[in-house]
Amino acid sequence: MQSTTWSRDLRVTADGTGVVSHVGAVLLRMLADRAGLTQAISGALARPAWWPTHDRGRVLVDLAVMIADGGEAICDIDVLRHQDEVFGPVASAATCWRALDEIGHAQLRRIAKARAQVRARVWALLEQLPPARAAGRDVGDGVVVLDVDSTIVLAHSDKEGAAPTYKHTYGFHPILVTCDNTGELLAIKLRPGNAGANTAADHLQVLAEAVAQIPAAHRRHLLVRGDSAAATHAVLDWLVEQGAKRGRQVEYSIGWAIGEAERTAIAGVTTSGWSPAINADGGIRDGAQVAELTGLPALTGWPDGMRVIVRRERPHPGAQLSLFEERDGWRYTAFVTNTAVGALQWLEARHRAHARVEDRIRCAKDTGLRRLPSREFAINQAWCTATAIAVDLTCWLQLIGLDADLALAEPKRLRYRILHTAARLARGQRRRYLRIPATWPWATQITAAFDRIAAIPAPG
């Protein structure tokens, strides 16, 4: 049997009826409605009753659904728009452009407030999940971990704000904050490509916006992690003040640059001063050790209680070492924290988990952040907000609706298995039925997700 004969009797026509693609987009849109997100954003972007226009909350949520579904340009909204038998009226690409163009600083603040209100409701729903389904996504009485970092978004044309970056590329340099507990994208600020990595004002803005996104009942114990770009007096002082003034426990774990004072302190650590490092699972990490430098380098002017912890490990082949590192063959990294208790190994492993923010950034780039649609900076900032909503919807779908490997799948796999599924649309008993092929391996999980989302109480 020839392997190329499978298409011999295949013919393609354009006269099909009752067929729907991108069924998973229905899941995302239903979730936005049932969680109250559509209504909240509609209220935030309310227009006069006489204004003949599409509801702006509906438009922005539909854009977010399109982005979560893999859309990379505003014209991709047509994938939803031309399936009105399922989605009903969907705004045109031109209307979406106008909706984004109308979003200024005041509208961004109102959208952020609406997102925070809905997030509180979603987190309350997450606390009601069975322990088996909530494993690894704790939003209960534990620590809420915020990871701040920046990334580069390339621009291949002369967009407003695009500029040469420190990586010798051309584009933008957004800064964002994600929630390590849930994977949500809490806050994002679009910046020109030449924006500084350690600009304290930008860090303070996104951190303040991210903290405001956390439901009030969960702000009692926060951990903020970042790389050395966040190790500025302004940022660390602000974090300490947040704990002192707000009556909450705010810890930080921030990367620290190794200068001459730190190198002198490292040279003075005895062999017994180094302890084996551990992996995330608690096992010993071969070839890595940790030690505390607190009290050895001068920390004049830095917050009281700040500890300096250093890690050394044998570098991988080909790694570039500094002159100091070449002397003994170890590679050194350091961070600072105000956590007063806990073994050094545990504190270092906790800080190293900040690397997960790179996974969050990669997922955000796979969900709209990789390509900015407009030449205008303000429209691109509004697109970033829609991207943040899309990331949140994807996370909520996985947390509330999905199980097993799909609950942890990255966006591309989720689209390939769930969001882009096709079905047959049938009608009967005054209802519409989306009939997913019984042979589709993930059909049961899709129907279970629909049932779970439909069971969410309607917002009051």
Side-chain angles (χ1 to χ4, degrees):
M1 175 69 69
Q2 291 285 338
S3 62
T4 58
T5 59
W6 64 272
S7 61
R8 180 173 298 171
D9 61 342
L10 184 64
R11 301 293 182 270
V12 179
T13 64
D15 55 359
T17 59
V19 180
V20 180
S21 62
H22 294 254
V23 167
V26 180
L27 275 173
L28 294 170
R29 203 173 192 240
M30 279 182 58
L31 179 56
D33 293 350
R34 301 297 292 183
L37 182 64
T38 308
Q39 299 90 319
I41 296 180
S42 295
L45 302 179
R47 308 292 295 274
W50 50 267
W51 197 278
T53 185
H54 281 266
D55 178 273
R56 289 311 192 230
R58 178 81 275 163
V59 173
L60 189 59
V61 167
D62 284 348
L63 270 173
V65 170
M66 178 267 291
I67 292 171
D69 193 45
E72 293 185 331
I74 293 177
C75 62
D76 290 336
I77 194 69
D78 286 344
V79 171
L80 305 183
R81 187 166 179 253
H82 291 298
Q83 297 192 92
D84 57 329
E85 65 272 19
V86 174
F87 294 103
V90 175
S92 66
T95 300
C96 293
W97 275 104
R98 287 193 295 271
L100 291 177
D101 190 37
E102 294 166 2
I103 297 177
H105 293 295
Q107 288 77 16
L108 289 175
R109 288 194 297 270
R110 291 198 289 268
I111 292 171
K113 185 176 180 180
R115 291 178 62 206
Q117 294 172 347
V118 176
R119 197 181 315 280
R121 185 167 189 262
V122 171
W123 282 32
L125 293 172
L126 295 180
E127 290 180 322
Q128 301 172 15
L129 292 177
R133 293 191 55 221
R137 301 296 184 97
D138 178 30
V139 293
D141 296 328
V143 182
V144 175
V145 182
L146 307 181
D147 286 307
V148 58
D149 202 0
S150 59
T151 188
I152 298 296
V153 174
L154 300 179
H156 300 287
S157 60
D158 193 16
K159 300 176 185 289
E160 182 184 2
T165 72
Y166 72 96
K167 290 189 176 181
H168 309 292
T169 55
Y170 187 80
F172 298 88
H173 192 189
I175 185 171
L176 48 83
V177 181
T178 64
C179 178
D180 188 58
N181 305 67
T182 61
E184 296 162 295
L185 178 50
L186 301 178
I188 181 169
K189 176 180 174 64
L190 186 63
R191 305 187 300 169
N194 56 4
N198 59 348
T199 304
D202 294 340
H203 280 82
L204 295 180
Q205 179 182 341
V206 294
L207 283 171
E209 292 175 357
V211 171
Q213 286 294 312
I214 302 299
H218 297 271
R219 297 179 197 166
R220 294 187 295 268
H221 193 176
L222 303 176
L223 170 65
V224 176
R225 296 188 302 210
D227 57 22
S228 58
T232 62
H233 287 278
V235 172
L236 293 179
D237 288 342
W238 182 83
L239 292 172
V240 172
E241 291 173 3
Q242 288 295 301
K245 292 183 177 181
R246 305 285 182 175
R248 61 175 73 120
Q249 186 176 356
V250 179
E251 300 179 60
Y252 59 79
S253 185
I254 305 293
W256 188 257
I258 296 179
E260 188 59 35
E262 288 75 19
R263 288 192 285 269
T264 301
I266 290 171
V269 177
T270 62
T271 302
S272 61
W274 293 96
S275 303
I278 62 174
N279 293 313
D281 59 3
I284 298 297
R285 185 176 180 87
D286 293 334
Q289 299 172 336
V290 296
E292 183 158 8
L293 303 184
T294 306
L296 298 178
L299 297 175
T300 305
W302 294 96
D304 294 335
M306 189 176 80
R307 304 170 65 185
V308 182
I309 298 172
V310 65
R311 164 194 173 87
R312 70 178 185 181
E313 62 181 336
R314 293 300 181 187
H316 58 80
Q320 294 184 348
L321 302 180
S322 66
L323 292 176
F324 173 75
E325 293 170 331
E326 287 180 350
R327 294 190 311 174
D328 57 11
W330 293 96
R331 188 170 189 173
Y332 294 94
T333 56
F335 69 98
V336 294
T337 182
N338 62 341
T339 303
V341 298
L344 291 183
Q345 297 96 323
W346 179 82
L347 295 176
E348 193 276 331
R350 182 187 70 171
H351 176 74
R352 201 160 8 101
H354 171 66
R356 284 197 291 262
V357 73
E358 299 296 339
D359 296 331
R360 315 295 187 202
I361 290 173
R362 185 180 67 255
C363 290
K365 286 187 173 181
D366 287 340
T367 313
L369 187 58
R370 191 179 306 279
R371 295 184 180 180
L372 302 179
S374 177
R375 289 184 176 272
E376 297 183 24
F377 189 87
I379 292 180
N380 287 334
Q381 175 62 70
W383 175 270
C384 288
T385 298
T387 293
I389 296 172
V391 172
D392 285 356
L393 285 175
T394 302
C395 290
W396 296 347
L397 172 61
Q398 293 180 295
L399 290 166
I400 295 174
L402 299 177
D403 291 317
D405 60 329
L406 289 178
L408 301 174
E410 293 199 0
K412 288 184 178 179
R413 175 172 293 183
L414 196 66
R415 292 174 194 136
Y416 204 57
R417 297 184 176 184
I418 300 295
L419 301 186
H420 295 173
T421 302
R424 183 167 62 87
L425 180 65
R427 288 179 170 84
Q429 299 176 342
R430 299 183 180 180
R431 296 192 178 188
R432 292 173 296 164
Y433 295 87
L434 283 174
R435 302 194 181 278
I436 301 169
T439 56
W440 189 244
W442 304 278
T444 301
Q445 297 183 63
I446 295 173
T447 56
F450 270 105
D451 292 340
R452 289 166 180 167
I453 292 172
I456 297 175

